[in-house]
Amino acid sequence: MNKPKIIFLDWNKTLSSTRFWEQLSDPTHELNQLFTKIESVLFNKDYNIVNPWMLGKITSEEVCKFISQKIGVEHSVLQKELKRSCVNMKFINDNVTKILRQLKMQGVVLVIATDNMDTFSKYTYPTINKYSLFDGYLNSYDIGCFKYDFLDNRLPFFDSYLHTHGYSYNDVVLIDDSLEKVGNFERLGFKIINVNDSFPVDKALAKYT
């Protein structure tokens, strides 16, 4: 299979399945009772937190303050535990880093492309990239739009990076667990490989080694 010049990799449920505040889900953790309370606020559609957070309209500090008011816990505790979970996020399996290193040695540019929060840029990426596995990242929080957004026959999430580095849609592939159902990427020649539990990211990456 012909190697793309760039492989874009989704983070959540593709490279990693670690959740925010995941350590609190451990029944033995002293703050375990907070985990379901935090998620009940975070994912409550009436509060509309997740999408604005991913688009850079609110910060992690503001989110923690809002949740703290709803569940009666100091926001500093929530911020501390949120940072801890983000710093300790893990790859989805042990084979991923090995294959990424192989591709890197073969000259493939590896970039994380994620609809994510400020926590990814501040905490997660510096930690998971301490050995320079990746050449960079694109985060919806910083860009201000989502990965699958389509505007005037272009892909604004990716366009600035591709233009800056001199690549076209035909030069790249995106590996992602989410489906692009409209077909805009395919029509523009931007290839997507979808992954799931039976076809995880390491198997998708192995096709290019």
Side-chain angles (χ1 to χ4, degrees):
M1 183 178 291
N2 292 332
K3 281 187 177 63
K5 294 178 181 178
I6 301 179
I7 296 178
F8 289 110
L9 294 134
D10 173 52
W11 178 251
N12 187 43
K13 298 182 181 178
T14 298
L15 281 172
S16 178
S17 59
T18 314
R19 298 168 293 176
F20 289 156
W21 293 284
E22 175 141 317
Q23 70 276 13
L24 305 189
S25 67
D26 183 346
T28 65
H29 196 289
E30 62 180 351
L31 300 176
N32 170 251
Q33 77 280 2
L34 295 181
F35 185 71
T36 55
K37 293 180 181 179
I38 292 169
E39 290 208 325
S40 70
V41 175
L42 181 62
F43 297 113
N44 187 323
K45 292 182 180 179
D46 291 337
Y47 297 144
N48 190 29
I49 297 173
V50 174
N51 281 2
W53 192 7
M54 288 195 292
L55 290 174
K57 296 179 179 179
I58 55 177
T59 67
S60 56
E61 289 80 8
E62 290 170 326
V63 170
C64 288
K65 286 180 181 178
F66 181 82
I67 295 175
S68 75
Q69 292 169 359
K70 295 296 180 183
I71 67 174
V73 176
E74 286 292 329
H75 69 83
S76 60
V77 173
L78 297 181
Q79 285 181 232
K80 176 183 175 183
E81 295 299 334
L82 174 60
K83 178 179 179 180
R84 181 172 294 167
S85 66
C86 293
V87 167
N88 288 298
M89 286 187 170
K90 307 296 183 186
F91 289 110
I92 206 159
N93 64 49
D94 294 335
N95 202 32
V96 171
T97 54
K98 174 181 149 186
I99 297 175
L100 289 172
R101 288 192 191 97
Q102 289 176 356
L103 288 166
K104 183 100 172 182
M105 290 176 63
Q106 294 164 8
V108 179
V109 176
L110 302 171
V111 177
I112 295 176
T114 178
D115 290 334
N116 219 305
M117 290 74 170
D118 51 345
T119 53
F120 182 84
S121 303
K122 289 194 294 185
Y123 307 132
T124 306
Y125 184 78
T127 302
I128 56 102
N129 203 43
K130 61 184 176 182
Y131 299 119
S132 300
L133 278 174
F134 300 98
D135 297 284
Y137 68 90
L138 303 179
N139 183 356
S140 62
Y141 182 92
D142 304 317
I143 298 171
C145 66
F146 289 121
K147 196 185 313 173
Y148 286 160
D149 281 355
F150 184 73
L151 179 66
D152 298 331
N153 208 40
R154 62 187 181 87
L155 307 174
F157 183 92
F158 295 96
D159 280 354
S160 178
Y161 183 92
L162 293 176
H163 178 74
T164 299
H165 293 86
Y167 295 112
S168 69
Y169 296 147
N170 292 311
D171 293 325
V172 309
V173 64
L174 168 65
I175 299 178
D176 203 313
D177 71 298
S178 60
L179 300 174
E180 197 280 297
K181 299 177 182 178
V182 180
N184 291 323
F185 279 61
E186 183 178 7
R187 183 169 55 79
L188 292 173
F190 193 127
K191 185 176 181 179
I192 300 174
I193 296 176
N194 286 121
V195 294
N196 51 47
D197 290 341
S198 60
F199 183 63
V201 63
D202 54 313
K203 289 186 177 179
L205 287 168
K207 290 180 174 290
Y208 295 112
T209 57

